[in-house]
Amino acid sequence: AGIVPRSVKAILDMLEGSGTEFTIRVSFLELYNEELQDLLNTSGDKKLKLCEDVKKGVICQNLEEITVLTVDDIFDILQRGIKQRQTAATLCNKNSSRSHSIFT
């Protein structure tokens, strides 16, 4: 297992063990050729824009956020987004990722 699955499991275990009420929302974006793409909103009807908010810091406007309840929900969404990423062949790797992605 990679760092994302291990981190997700550790965070959910900690939250569930704390006895507090919580909500988890996830988003997934890709930066490819200096363009932002929402990997969870496949319609592409909203252009993403990075901006700085005084209270929240840097935010991405129009980025889809999905509320999740379980670790399996998070992994399903992660896999759905991975399928949307830009890939192409390189000399070293047949399915090399051609982008950077951020899963939050």
Side-chain angles (χ1 to χ4, degrees), residues 30 32-33 82 84-99:
E30 173 183 58
Y32 177 70
N33 283 342
I82 287 170
Q84 300 300 318
R85 290 193 68 196
Q86 299 287 332
T87 59
T90 65
L91 293 176
C92 296
N93 187 342
K94 187 170 78 171
N95 291 316
S96 176
S97 171
R98 309 303 293 163
S99 65

Side-chain angles (χ1 to χ4, degrees), residues 67-86:
T67 301
V68 293
L69 302 173
T70 67
V71 171
D72 288 337
D73 291 344
I74 295 170
F75 294 153
D76 289 344
I77 290 169
L78 184 61
Q79 288 302 314
R80 190 173 89 195
I82 287 170
K83 290 178 185 175
Q84 300 300 318
R85 290 193 68 196
Q86 299 287 332

